[in-house]
């Protein structure tokens, strides 16, 4: 089997390495455009990242940690809602032992802030080992993956894709000279190989730009990501071991201009910001992700939002499933149909998870946030997110009859949703108000 990956960013290198690890006899080629820059704003990850990375690539994790030197991440500090709260990667609102029918967090006063082990670590009141999540310097990460790919005899070609030769749904060649059995499109937002319809999330998730810049890390590196409410969006702050913090204001051009967003940042940071990067993006996904012999992965396939740092998780989940189907075959084409359906639901569940962060954030009363509160009606009533919201508003963080929420399409489990709902809608009075509003 021959597989050609177009693109050498995180999606391209992770896809190439996973294919090689799962299908050792596969001849994997990566075509990279030497003039196409990688976005490269640094990477924050989710709690399952290290396990997924190991499963996909079969890494020596000690070697990875030594060479990439990431920061161990225990959760996210949210300055959302009336009170700050932690979203942690240990268990706060999930199943406990059989003799305890209620989760640990049921008796928390509001959200998790100093209650669980990881939350205490985030407050510098404890110590821990690996949490499963990391802050990664993008340059070191890509360099490590590239060197690993070379060791595994993955072929690299520097060229720009100028033309795609097709026969119906099958790509025959690229630039009339690159042939393969399968093509993995990891070319970023350009998505050079796929003609599939793009399903926009802009009605639900209105942010479409980010201003990224670096500041010098303060004396103590924070083992968590920081999400801060801004007038027309939100700000991430992520510390790295390499002596800098990555900062990004994610906002909507419908509510604020680039110039106004930069000014707001300069006021907040009390400094002139000269070295920055403005990154446009669109939220949504392809209608189909695997058509013929082309599979789209990464930004070429879809992008939800930087909030919750799900991009690498989606990449790894997609290429894991792709590799399994390619390794074991799909004689009747049924697995590809199911793959497309699953990835659609996976993306949509992440969209809904991000949406509830935004539409229940009442920290500021700017036009942007007032409008977002009205977007709760964009939460599909037949989806997991709405069902868990309805359950939470009526039952708090009880866990009876919740097994159905542990489906593969929901990467956050029950705990993730409950952590956000308890942080944003912390009291019984709050729950009653929202429940009344939804009726």
């Amino acid at each position: 089997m021959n597989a050609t990956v177009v693109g050498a960013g995180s999606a391209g290198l992770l896809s190439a390495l996973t294919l090689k690890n799962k299908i050792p006899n596969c001849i994997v080629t990566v075509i990279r455009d030497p003039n196409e820059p990688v976005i490269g704003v640094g990477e924050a990850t989710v709690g399952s990242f290290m396990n997924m990375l190991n499963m996909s690539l079969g890494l020596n994790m000690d070697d990875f940690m030594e060479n990439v030197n990431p920061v161990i991440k225990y959760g996210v500090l949210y300055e959302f809602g009336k009170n700050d709260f932690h979203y942690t990667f240990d268990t706060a609102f999930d199943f406990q032992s059989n003799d305890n029918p209620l989760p640990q967090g049921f008796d928390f006063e509001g959200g998790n802030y100093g209650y669980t082990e990881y939350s205490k670590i985030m407050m510098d009141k404890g110590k821990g080992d690996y949490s499963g999540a990391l802050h990664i310097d993008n340059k070191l990460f890509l360099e490590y993956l590239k060197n690993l790919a070379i060791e595994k005899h993955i072929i690299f070609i520097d060229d720009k894709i100028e033309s795609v030769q097709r026969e119906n749904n099958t790509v025959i060649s690229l630039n009339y000279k690159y042939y393969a059995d399968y093509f993995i499109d990891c070319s970023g937002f350009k998505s050079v190989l796929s003609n599939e319809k793009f399903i926009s999330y802009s009605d639900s998730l209105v942010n479409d730009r980010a201003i990224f810049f670096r500041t010098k890390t303060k004396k103590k590196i924070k083992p968590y990501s920081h999400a801060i409410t801004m007038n027309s969006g939100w700000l991430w702050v992520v510390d790295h071991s390499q002596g800098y913090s990555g900062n990004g204001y994610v906002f909507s051009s419908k509510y604020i201009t680039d110039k106004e967003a930069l000014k707001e940042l300069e006021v907040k940071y009390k400094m002139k910001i000269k070295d920055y990067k403005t990154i446009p993006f669109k939220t949504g996904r392809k209608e189909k992700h695997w058509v013929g012999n082309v599979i789209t992965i990464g930004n070429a396939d879809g992008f939800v939002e930087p909030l919750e740092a799900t991009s690498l998780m989606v990449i790894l989940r997609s290429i894991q499933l792709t590799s399994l189907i390619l390794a074991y075959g799909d004689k009747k084409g049924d697995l590809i149909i199911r793959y497309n359906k699953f990835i659609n639901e996976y993306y949509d569940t992440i969209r809904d998870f991000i949406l509830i962060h935004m539409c229940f954030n009442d920290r500021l009363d700017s036009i942007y946030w007032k409008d977002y509160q009205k977007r709760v009606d964009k939460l599909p009533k037949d989806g997991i997110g709405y069902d868990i919201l309805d359950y939470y508003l009526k039952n708090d963080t009880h866990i009876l009859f919740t097994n159905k929420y542990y489906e593969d399409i929901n990467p956050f489990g029950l705990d993730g949703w409950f952590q956000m709902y308890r942080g944003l809608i912390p009291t019984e009075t709050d729950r009653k108000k929202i429940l009344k509003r939804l009726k």
Side-chain angles (χ1 to χ4, degrees):
M1 181 189 300
N2 295 281
T4 292
V5 178
V6 176
S10 299
L13 293 175
L14 288 171
S15 294
L17 284 163
T18 302
L19 284 169
K20 195 64 177 175
N21 183 49
K22 299 296 184 183
I23 315 172
N25 294 328
C26 183
I27 299 171
V28 181
T29 301
V30 175
I31 301 176
R32 55 190 177 187
D33 184 345
N35 298 314
E36 185 70 27
V38 176
I39 293 176
V41 299
E43 304 277 12
T45 63
V46 297
S48 60
F49 175 71
M50 291 177 69
N51 183 51
M52 294 181 76
L53 194 65
N54 189 39
M55 285 177 59
S56 292
L57 276 61
L59 288 183
N60 179 326
M61 293 308 296
D62 290 335
D63 182 68
F64 175 83
M65 297 297 287
E66 180 181 347
N67 283 279
V68 179
N69 193 23
V71 172
I72 303 296
K73 173 184 173 183
Y74 291 93
V76 183
L77 167 59
Y78 277 100
E79 290 187 25
F80 276 41
K82 290 294 190 290
N83 301 298
D84 297 356
F85 64 94
H86 289 152
Y87 178 98
T88 62
F89 299 131
D90 55 359
T91 299
F93 299 98
D94 218 327
F95 286 99
Q96 303 295 311
S97 59
N98 291 331
D99 58 350
N100 186 2
L102 295 174
Q104 174 189 1
F106 189 82
D107 294 322
F108 292 173
E109 293 183 12
N112 182 13
Y113 197 74
Y115 289 109
T116 66
E117 179 186 352
Y118 284 4
S119 183
K120 291 174 183 175
I121 293 171
M122 291 168 66
M123 301 175 79
D124 203 19
K125 295 180 180 180
K127 294 182 179 180
D129 296 321
Y130 292 165
S131 67
L134 304 170
H135 294 163
I136 304 172
D137 177 84
N138 185 261
K139 184 177 179 181
L140 290 176
F141 183 50
L142 293 182
E143 189 68 22
Y144 182 85
L145 294 179
K146 184 186 75 173
N147 290 337
L148 185 62
I150 292 171
E151 287 178 16
K152 294 182 177 293
H153 307 292
I154 290 171
I155 302 163
F156 284 86
I157 297 174
D158 288 341
D159 200 357
K160 180 179 181 180
I161 302 303
E162 300 281 2
S163 63
V164 180
Q165 291 70 56
R166 305 176 189 272
E167 251 184 41
N168 298 320
N169 286 331
T170 301
V171 169
I172 305 301
S173 66
L174 307 177
N175 292 359
Y176 294 98
K177 59 182 176 180
Y178 303 121
Y179 298 85
D181 298 312
Y182 293 94
F183 294 89
I184 315 297
D185 187 350
C186 301
S187 60
F189 291 116
K190 291 182 178 179
S191 190
V192 298
L193 304 187
S194 174
N195 294 325
E196 288 305 301
K197 180 181 177 182
F198 184 78
I199 307 297
S200 175
Y201 288 163
S202 60
D203 282 350
S204 301
L205 305 178
V206 300
N207 292 337
D208 57 4
R209 298 180 78 76
I211 292 178
F212 171 77
F213 62 102
R214 291 181 175 182
T215 53
K216 187 176 180 180
T217 302
K218 296 177 181 178
K219 290 183 179 180
K220 189 172 180 62
I221 293 174
K222 296 182 179 66
Y224 56 85
S225 300
H226 196 174
I228 303 164
T229 301
M230 300 287 280
N231 287 333
S232 297
W234 65 278
L235 171 71
W236 84 71
V237 183
V238 174
D239 286 358
H240 292 275
S241 302
Q242 291 70 36
Y244 72 91
S245 298
N247 310 267
Y249 185 2
V250 183
F251 60 95
S252 169
S253 60
K254 294 179 181 178
Y255 292 86
I256 193 172
T257 65
D258 292 1
K259 186 176 180 180
E260 289 168 335
L262 183 63
K263 181 64 177 177
E264 187 181 351
L265 283 169
E266 290 178 337
V267 170
K268 182 173 184 61
Y269 280 81
K270 299 178 182 178
M271 59 181 277
K272 194 73 175 174
I273 301 171
K274 295 181 180 180
D275 188 11
Y276 64 91
K277 182 187 296 185
T278 302
I279 305 167
F281 62 86
K282 58 182 181 179
T283 58
R285 59 166 172 80
K286 296 286 189 182
E287 187 173 46
K288 293 181 180 179
H289 319 274
W290 186 331
V291 178
N293 63 341
V294 174
I295 302 101
T296 47
I297 288 178
N299 291 341
D301 188 47
F303 183 75
V304 184
E305 237 258 20
L307 196 60
E308 286 295 349
T310 57
S311 290
L312 290 180
M313 174 186 75
V314 177
I315 290 168
L316 288 170
R317 189 68 174 125
S318 300
I319 193 60
Q320 284 174 357
L321 292 171
T322 297
S323 297
L324 288 172
I325 294 172
L326 291 178
Y328 296 105
D330 184 21
K331 294 180 180 179
K332 298 185 181 298
D334 181 66
L335 293 178
I336 293 175
I337 293 172
R338 293 177 185 273
Y339 172 86
N340 283 324
K341 182 175 185 293
F342 173 84
I343 297 298
N344 282 344
E345 293 175 342
Y346 200 65
Y347 270 118
D348 292 351
T349 301
I350 296 171
R351 174 203 60 198
D352 297 346
F353 190 58
I354 301 301
L355 178 60
I356 64 107
H357 290 56
M358 309 299 281
C359 62
F360 295 121
N361 181 7
D362 57 358
R363 178 159 294 211
L364 297 179
D365 62 355
S366 64
I367 295 174
Y368 173 92
W369 289 107
K370 285 181 178 178
D371 284 353
Y372 242 122
Q373 289 174 21
K374 299 173 186 175
R375 287 193 179 88
V376 68
D377 64 355
K378 301 296 183 183
L379 193 64
K381 292 191 176 181
D382 59 351
I384 285 178
Y386 190 93
D387 201 16
I388 298 177
L389 172 63
D390 182 67
Y391 183 99
Y392 171 73
L393 295 176
K394 296 173 180 176
N395 304 292
D396 197 357
T397 56
H398 218 296
I399 50 177
L400 286 176
F401 313 114
T402 58
N403 286 327
K404 64 180 179 178
Y405 302 131
Y406 291 84
E407 299 179 27
D408 286 346
I409 61 165
N410 174 26
F412 311 103
L414 182 64
D415 187 71
W417 293 87
F418 273 179
Q419 286 202 57
M420 291 308 304
Y421 284 141
R422 185 58 93 80
L424 294 168
I425 315 169
T427 68
E428 185 176 356
T429 300
D430 294 323
R431 290 192 289 275
K432 286 181 179 178
K433 286 181 181 178
I434 300 295
L435 192 59
K436 185 177 180 180
R437 203 170 95 201
L438 292 178
K439 285 185 177 178

